[in-house]
């Protein structure tokens, strides 16, 4: 950066207004260890701002940031210090949150909570997908690193979410998701006037044969940037339709289960982190072998 002639104007983390990052306007000191990223998605039928609604599960809830683009609440759930931020959809929107939070807080874990379309016969409407990795078919992350760089979810997050799903007795699958930019053509949906190209005809079958569980617009951004910058990243996605099996769309199907899995999973992760710290370990290993 010392050799960059524009460094004084384009500082890391973006612009600042009144001492706060300009786009999220968070108070970095109020941001928790664990950040849940949600989209103001009408397909999930929240009935209001999801950050505000989900934060009602938190104790000692505080408004940690509000701008024209994003709303953030923080509080505690079973000991876990959690922040929930809502905004628009897609990798570029996710980047704005990730950069400002990473630059201005001590948050160490970021995850996507939302909905997606299933591409696998293993999932049915109302099920939950816990991502172990994500195909980077969107464009934002390629600005950061070569397309061959893997988007791998934190194994600790995956384990904690699986434990939560099992204890809650909810239907779930673990596997690879996929993120893309286009909500239509890149998911096999025709666009205006049934616009389609030959390359779009094989998308559903191609990714089904590859074992991809679901498709969304944010998971890859979160997981990739977390890997690059030494944080833990993951995704928990509810399935509200399955294009491969022909199961139709139902707004918000499975989202309550996904929400429960995320909150209980982060409580598990908090316990895991405390155990690692007490034992002087950087990484977690399961017991019982």
């Amino acid at each position: 950066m010392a050799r960059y002639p524009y460094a004084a104007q384009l500082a890391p983390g973006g612009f600042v207004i009144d001492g706060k990052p300009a786009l999220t306007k968070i108070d970095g000191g109020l941001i928790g260890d664990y950040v849940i990223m949600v989209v103001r998605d009408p397909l999930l039928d929240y009935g209001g701002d999801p950050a505000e609604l989900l934060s009602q599960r938190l104790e000692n809830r505080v408004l940690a940031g509000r701008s024209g683009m994003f709303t953030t609440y923080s509080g505690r759930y079973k000991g876990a210090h959690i922040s929930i931020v809502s905004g628009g959809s897609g990798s570029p929107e996710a980047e704005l949150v990730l950069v400002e939070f990473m630059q201005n807080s001590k948050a160490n874990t970021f995850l996507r909570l939302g909905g997606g379309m299933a591409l696998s016969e293993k999932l049915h409407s109302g099920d939950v997908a816990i991502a172990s990795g994500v195909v980077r078919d969107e464009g934002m992350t390629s600005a950061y690193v070569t397309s061959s760089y893997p988007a791998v979810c934190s194994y600790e997050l995956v384990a904690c979410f699986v434990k939560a799903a099992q204890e809650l007795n909810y239907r779930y699958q673990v596997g690879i998701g996929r993120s893309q930019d286009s909500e239509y053509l890149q998911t096999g949906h025709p666009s205006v006037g049934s616009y389609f190209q030959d390359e779009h005809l094989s998308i559903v079958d191609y990714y089904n044969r590859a074992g991809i569980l679901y498709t969304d617009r944010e998971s890859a951004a979160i997981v990739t940037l977390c890997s690059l910058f030494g944080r833990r990243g993951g995704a928990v996605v509810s399935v509200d339709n399955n294009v491969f099996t022909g199961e139709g769309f139902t707004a918000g199907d499975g989202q309550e289960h996904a929400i429960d899995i995320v909150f209980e999973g982060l409580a598990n992760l908090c316990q895991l982190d405390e155990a690692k710290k007490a034992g002087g370990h950087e990484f977690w290993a399961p017991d019982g072998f």
Side-chain angles (χ1 to χ4, degrees):
M1 289 295 292
R3 295 178 296 161
Y4 188 49
Y6 310 108
Q9 294 172 278
L10 301 174
F15 298 109
V16 174
I17 299 175
D18 296 330
K20 295 181 178 180
L23 300 179
T24 60
K25 293 189 177 179
I26 55 167
D27 179 337
L30 296 177
I31 301 302
D33 300 307
Y34 315 112
V35 178
I36 301 171
M37 297 174 60
V38 292
V39 170
R40 296 177 187 132
D41 186 351
L43 301 182
L44 294 179
D45 197 26
Y46 283 118
D49 187 298
E52 184 172 357
L53 295 172
L54 296 183
S55 70
Q56 293 173 13
R57 297 189 178 212
L58 302 176
E59 297 178 351
N60 303 317
R61 182 179 73 146
V62 296
L63 180 66
R66 192 193 297 276
S67 68
M69 298 179 72
F70 303 103
T71 299
T72 305
Y73 283 89
S74 294
R76 293 192 177 270
Y77 183 83
K78 296 184 178 181
H81 192 190
I82 296 172
S83 292
I84 308 169
V85 54
S86 63
S89 68
S91 282
E93 287 273 317
E95 178 198 24
L96 302 180
V97 170
L98 291 162
V99 169
E100 290 200 347
F101 276 57
M102 289 181 183
Q103 192 71 22
N104 296 280
S105 79
K106 295 182 180 180
N108 58 52
T109 302
F110 296 81
L111 64 110
R112 158 152 168 73
L113 167 61
M117 179 180 75
L119 296 173
S120 170
E121 60 274 21
K122 294 180 180 180
L123 285 168
H124 302 282
S125 292
D127 288 356
V128 176
I130 299 171
S132 59
V134 189
V135 177
R136 294 170 51 207
D137 265 355
E138 40 66 67
M140 186 278 292
T141 60
S142 63
Y144 281 80
V145 67
T146 176
S147 60
S148 60
Y149 184 90
V152 181
C153 298
S154 161
Y155 77 97
E156 293 179 342
L157 267 177
V158 174
C160 287
F161 291 144
V162 168
K163 184 175 187 291
Q166 290 179 351
E167 290 176 345
L168 291 164
N169 198 28
Y170 290 164
R171 299 196 313 265
Y172 74 97
Q173 289 287 330
V174 178
I176 300 173
R178 168 181 175 257
S179 292
Q180 77 293 319
D181 287 326
S182 171
E183 183 71 16
Y184 297 97
L185 298 181
Q186 282 185 300
T187 62
H189 281 85
S191 187
V192 178
S194 297
Y195 178 83
F196 226 48
Q197 294 284 1
D198 287 345
E199 65 198 75
H200 305 130
L201 297 173
S202 62
I203 285 176
V204 173
D205 289 333
Y206 180 92
Y207 285 107
N208 171 266
R209 288 193 297 270
I212 303 304
L213 292 182
Y214 71 88
T215 181
D216 76 352
R217 286 163 42 86
E218 296 82 25
S219 297
I222 295 169
V223 175
T224 302
L225 267 62
C226 282
S227 294
L228 280 173
F229 300 121
R231 275 76 169 179
R232 294 177 297 196
V236 176
V237 175
S238 62
V239 171
D240 52 28
N241 73 109
N242 189 323
V243 65
F244 186 77
T245 62
E247 294 179 59
F249 168 74
T250 302
D253 206 4
Q255 185 62 9
E256 280 299 318
H257 284 187
I259 293 168
D260 290 343
I261 288 171
V262 163
F263 276 91
E264 294 301 323
L266 290 180
N268 293 338
L269 185 63
C270 180
Q271 293 180 10
L272 183 153
D273 285 343
E274 290 174 353
K276 285 193 304 181
K277 184 177 180 180
H281 302 300
E282 182 178 358
F283 301 104
W284 167 77
D287 298 323
F289 284 111

